[in-house]
Amino acid sequence: MKSDKKICIYGAGGFGAEVLCCLIDALGISPDEAGKYACFMTDDAFFNEQELMGIEVIRRSSFLPDVYSVLIAVGDPAARKKIVASMPPETDYASLIHPRALVSKWVELGEGSIVTAGSILTCNISIGKHAHLNLNTTIGHDCRIGDFFTTAPGANISGKCTFGEAVYVGTNAAVKQGIGICDNVTIGMGGIVVKDIKEPGVYIGNPLKKLEK
């Protein structure tokens, strides 16, 4: 993570708290120092506390692009996409990689992305903007992944996979090598993906099945 601005964590929920812990580890600071480097931000309608984990919480209406760099800590890919679209065009987005994540020099990671502890990204991997890779995610060689990609803890993605935009891979889900997944797909917890997914929607189980509305 490289930024001369204070880091503004957009989202004061559970994942926001985890992002703060990740940021503390990445900066090599004590929790007591975190307020010098970071704050939380919430939408005005949800602003109900001025402090979280000892860190200041600011209203969205108080955000100043020349003061803060933003990390969006909202897990839902569609919601994250809407937030980015609503931010001022001059907003600067930080990226964050936990020091206990293994990310090789042959990985391209888009701005605003967060890679948490225990994740492993091998080589020749391209990931778009505002991705969230949660604890112990693994991604194999030669994967091409779109913007707003999200994994829950323990997701395992084999090599040569291609994912569209706003794909969510649930806890302990696994994707076979060479799979293609279109935009706006959610893979449920423990889902096993062995065939391409060509229609948006929510898929669960083993064998994987699409949930009907």
Side-chain angles (χ1 to χ4, degrees):
M1 190 203 73
K2 296 180 180 179
S3 178
D4 296 327
K5 300 178 181 179
K6 195 168 188 176
I7 302 300
C8 187
I9 301 171
Y10 194 131
F15 188 63
E18 291 183 339
V19 169
L20 176 64
C21 294
C22 187
L23 179 64
I24 289 169
D25 290 343
L27 294 176
I29 59 175
S30 74
D32 292 338
E33 297 177 283
K36 300 177 184 178
Y37 301 92
C39 67
F40 290 101
M41 179 169 68
T42 63
D43 292 338
D44 288 33
F46 299 107
F47 183 83
N48 56 16
E49 54 186 346
Q50 297 181 350
E51 190 175 280
L52 175 66
M53 299 171 68
I55 306 299
E56 179 188 19
V57 181
I58 68 170
R59 301 173 185 269
R60 168 70 182 268
S61 58
S62 300
F63 173 73
L64 298 171
D66 58 338
V67 175
Y68 301 103
S69 288
V70 177
L71 281 168
I72 300 178
V74 174
D76 179 69
R80 200 154 70 245
K81 184 176 180 180
K82 289 180 180 178
I83 290 169
V84 171
S86 71
M87 296 296 287
E90 66 272 27
T91 300
D92 174 59
Y93 295 99
S95 293
L96 177 61
I97 300 175
H98 193 278
R100 290 195 296 276
L102 299 179
V103 180
S104 82
K105 65 178 290 184
W106 298 282
V107 173
E108 297 178 8
L109 189 65
E111 69 174 6
S113 294
I114 300 169
V115 182
T116 61
S119 296
I120 301 173
L121 284 67
T122 60
C123 59
N124 302 322
I125 297 167
S126 175
I127 301 176
K129 299 177 181 180
H130 304 288
H132 286 179
L133 305 184
N134 217 317
L135 301 169
N136 299 316
T137 291
T138 66
I139 301 179
H141 62 89
D142 299 296
C143 285
R144 300 291 177 265
I145 297 171
D147 296 341
F148 305 103
F149 178 65
T150 308
T151 65
N156 292 278
I157 297 161
S158 302
K160 294 188 176 181
C161 292
T162 302
F163 293 173
E165 185 175 282
V167 173
Y168 181 98
V169 182
T171 299
N172 291 329
V175 182
K176 180 184 175 182
Q177 179 162 319
I179 290 296
I181 296 178
C182 68
D183 296 346
N184 303 311
V185 166
T186 295
I187 307 300
M189 178 185 293
I192 306 297
V193 187
V194 296
K195 296 181 180 180
D196 292 351
I197 297 177
K198 300 179 180 179
E199 296 182 2
V202 178
Y203 294 78
I204 62 171
N206 179 18
L208 204 69
K209 295 182 180 179
K210 185 179 180 181
L211 284 181
E212 300 300 330
K213 292 184 179 180

